[in-house]
Amino acid sequence: MSPKDSNVGNVGGICTDYALKKKETANPALNLAKMRKTLESKCPEVFVKSLTWSLFYMLFDYAVWGGATYLMYNFVNSPEYNSYSPLIRHSVTAIYWNICGFMMWCIFVVGHDCGHGTFSKYHTLNEIVGLITHGSIMVPFHPWRLSHHRHHSYHNHADRDYSHPWYTPDKLHPDGGAEFALARAMENYTWMRFLFPFIGWAIYLFGLPDGSHFIPIGFMGSENNRMWNESIEMLGDYSEHKKCLLSTSVVFGYAYIMLEYIFHWDWNAFGYWYVAPALIYGWWLVTVTYLQHHDHSTLVFDDADWNFVYSAFETIDRKFGFGIDTLHHHITDGHVVHHLFFKGIPHYNLPKATEVIYEYMADNKLGHLVKTDNTPDFALRVHKYMVQFGFAANRFSPDNYTPEAVKERLQKDAKSRLNLVEEVAAKKAGSGSKKTK
């Protein structure tokens, strides 16, 4: 199967005609029940939530973070420390910060499973572990769980998506509304977009653009408080508000224990051993989540065109390489299937589920919809993309979806694109031919 056989009026199998593209969104193969049935028939184990494996990965991440801290503490307090040159001392410090920051990010991903209910089959245990893991990295678990669930429920919806703001031209217009003031500022100042990966996570947690994750009130204005406004509208009560206060209490409890019993209110020590790695982890979080959802060809949809399954394939499976994809629990190279079954498949089963979905898409001549990308330059790519287009997005509309526009956007990412769906299809064909011999 070649993607080029999929459609007429295409570039590399991608529809360039708006009417054909719109028709493609209703393809009967793009059906979540059919995809789930395929997964259950070929590898039902991907839906098994193993508490043993989840605990193993959680403990491994904490062990590496703790082990690196132990080694660094002994190095800093060794008799030979002052005999080393500043270059060596600073280099070792930078390595330490990066290792610990990365492992804090990995711990976030474990808590991410808790938020989706895939850490274990026990709801209460998921919530307890989520509070523990996210609290240890200063994230209020329940508000994050709430905003992240809404992101998954409306991925790539121009207006309803959470976490990943889609700044379409109408929103960037001076009359686009007060809630898009930050977007217009970032559009006007390149340096803000370049620096955003370093500060974006803190900005998001403190309230922009969905609402504060620490305090369930709109202290940044009602226009930036939709998470809590919608919670009252949907639930008719303040149950999520109460969970927010519980989560914030856990975060402050962690902070107090660290400052009182570990750092003895030495703010320099707190900054060195905890805050600096936390800044690295924040960079990782923004980098990974941004690259999961943004490239030159990304489309967003409104109520007339959005559907859950089709929009999930605007997500990008990226290969970071260097063992990173495995270490941070396949959050990069299994993200498409994660968006399709975000409440059903734990992270350690994503690779197997991903291969089956690739095969399913190939069998249904829809492989061209799956975006896979080789991104070993992720550390540069995130800042490059931020400078080039930031959070600006293309609405799926006749004006934006023309053959010329589609071809131009596709060419900008063509060099790093992978053909993993074709590779899976070829692998399947090869194994099939061996069986017939």
Side-chain angles (χ1 to χ4, degrees):
M1 191 282 296
S2 170
K4 293 184 179 180
D5 298 330
S6 303
N7 295 288
V8 295
N10 67 69
V11 174
I14 309 298
C15 293
T16 60
D17 179 86
Y18 175 77
L20 284 175
K21 183 73 169 177
K22 191 172 177 66
K23 184 179 179 181
E24 186 180 54
T25 64
N27 190 303
L30 295 172
N31 180 286
L32 201 62
K34 290 181 180 179
M35 292 178 175
R36 185 180 184 97
K37 186 176 180 180
T38 300
L39 283 166
E40 289 175 338
S41 65
K42 295 190 174 183
C43 53
E45 66 273 15
V46 300
F47 293 104
V48 175
K49 303 168 185 178
S50 168
L51 177 59
T52 301
W53 277 114
S54 293
L55 287 171
F56 167 78
Y57 287 111
M58 181 187 76
L59 294 174
F60 174 83
D61 293 343
Y62 274 117
V64 176
W65 180 11
T69 301
Y70 173 79
L71 292 174
M72 188 65 187
Y73 181 84
N74 283 303
F75 174 71
V76 169
N77 290 281
S78 67
E80 300 85 6
Y81 179 75
N82 289 324
S83 67
Y84 294 114
S85 69
L87 177 61
I88 292 177
R89 295 201 300 267
H90 295 329
S91 296
V92 173
T93 295
I95 293 170
Y96 164 73
W97 286 346
N98 276 277
I99 290 174
C100 290
F102 179 73
M103 297 318 299
M104 292 169 83
W105 155 240
C106 294
I107 288 165
F108 175 90
V109 180
V110 172
H112 169 268
D113 266 16
C114 295
H116 285 305
T118 56
F119 184 86
S120 76
K121 60 183 180 180
Y122 308 107
H123 175 75
T124 301
L125 179 62
N126 291 339
E127 293 201 342
I128 292 171
V129 176
L131 288 167
I132 292 170
T133 53
H134 276 199
S136 69
I137 52 175
M138 301 293 114
V139 178
F141 172 70
H142 283 296
W144 167 83
R145 172 193 52 76
L146 179 64
S147 64
H148 193 64
H149 178 80
R150 291 177 186 169
H151 158 59
H152 274 275
S153 298
Y154 294 102
H155 45 218
N156 281 73
H157 191 292
D159 303 308
R160 297 186 182 185
D161 198 352
Y162 269 63
S163 308
H164 299 272
W166 302 111
Y167 294 144
T168 50
D170 52 298
K171 297 176 182 178
L172 294 173
H173 190 275
D175 298 327
E179 65 269 33
F180 304 117
L182 176 62
R184 290 191 288 274
M186 289 183 64
E187 184 71 11
N188 292 330
Y189 299 105
T190 304
W191 64 268
M192 288 183 67
R193 299 198 301 278
F194 181 82
L195 292 176
F196 190 81
F198 296 106
I199 59 176
W201 182 226
I203 290 174
Y204 183 70
L205 288 180
F206 280 106
L208 293 175
D210 297 329
S212 172
H213 287 61
F214 287 94
I215 304 174
I217 58 175
F219 68 91
M220 300 192 79
S222 59
E223 67 274 8
N224 292 307
N225 196 45
R226 66 170 176 160
M227 178 163 63
W228 302 114
N229 294 337
E230 290 177 4
S231 292
I232 296 175
E233 292 173 8
M234 293 176 182
L235 301 174
D237 60 32
Y238 291 90
S239 57
E240 289 293 349
H241 293 61
K242 295 174 183 177
K243 290 180 180 179
C244 171
L245 296 177
L246 168 64
S247 302
T248 301
S249 298
V250 172
V251 169
F252 278 98
Y254 265 107
Y256 176 79
I257 290 171
M258 284 189 288
L259 286 166
E260 175 71 20
Y261 298 105
I262 299 176
F263 300 111
H264 307 293
W265 297 98
D266 182 339
W267 290 97
N268 289 331
F270 181 62
Y272 182 90
W273 295 102
Y274 188 86
V275 176
L279 292 174
I280 301 295
Y281 122 69
W283 177 90
W284 271 103
L285 190 146
V286 174
T287 295
V288 171
T289 56
Y290 178 82
L291 291 175
Q292 286 167 342
H293 295 281
H294 295 81
D295 70 1
H296 293 91
S297 64
T298 300
L299 293 174
V300 295
F301 306 85
D302 56 24
D303 288 337
D305 302 303
W306 184 87
N307 75 61
F308 178 84
V309 175
Y310 193 85
S311 298
F313 286 98
E314 288 298 320
T315 301
I316 307 154
D317 279 352
R318 296 186 182 274
K319 295 284 188 181
F320 280 17
F322 315 108
I324 292 171
D325 302 301
T326 300
L327 284 171
H328 65 189
H329 311 306
H330 299 287
I331 200 71
T332 41
D333 59 352
H335 207 63
V336 172
V337 76
H338 171 61
H339 265 262
L340 289 168
F341 300 99
F342 63 93
K343 292 188 287 186
I345 303 178
H347 70 79
Y348 40 83
N349 291 333
L350 290 175
K352 188 177 293 185
T354 293
E355 186 163 326
V356 173
I357 290 300
Y358 285 0
E359 183 181 312
Y360 174 90
M361 296 296 282
D363 289 345
N364 287 280
K365 296 187 177 181
L366 290 169
H368 59 280
L369 292 183
V370 183
K371 296 181 181 180
T372 55
D373 194 274
N374 186 37
T375 320
D377 60 335
F378 61 90
L380 297 175
R381 188 90 67 94
V382 62
H383 297 281
K384 175 184 174 182
Y385 279 6
M386 277 286 179
V387 169
Q388 288 180 338
F389 54 85
F391 292 105
N394 299 297
R395 280 187 187 270
F396 178 54
S397 69
D399 293 335
N400 284 328
Y401 206 84
T402 63
E404 296 77 14
V406 174
K407 185 175 182 180
E408 180 184 357
R409 291 197 289 264
L410 289 173
Q411 286 177 339
K412 290 180 178 178
D413 295 303
K415 289 183 179 180
S416 59
R417 280 290 188 257
L418 297 171
N419 293 315
L420 296 182
V421 174
E422 286 191 336
E423 289 179 19
V424 168
K427 179 181 176 183
K428 178 188 175 186
S431 62
S433 63
K434 288 179 181 178
K435 290 178 182 179
T436 59
K437 290 182 179 179

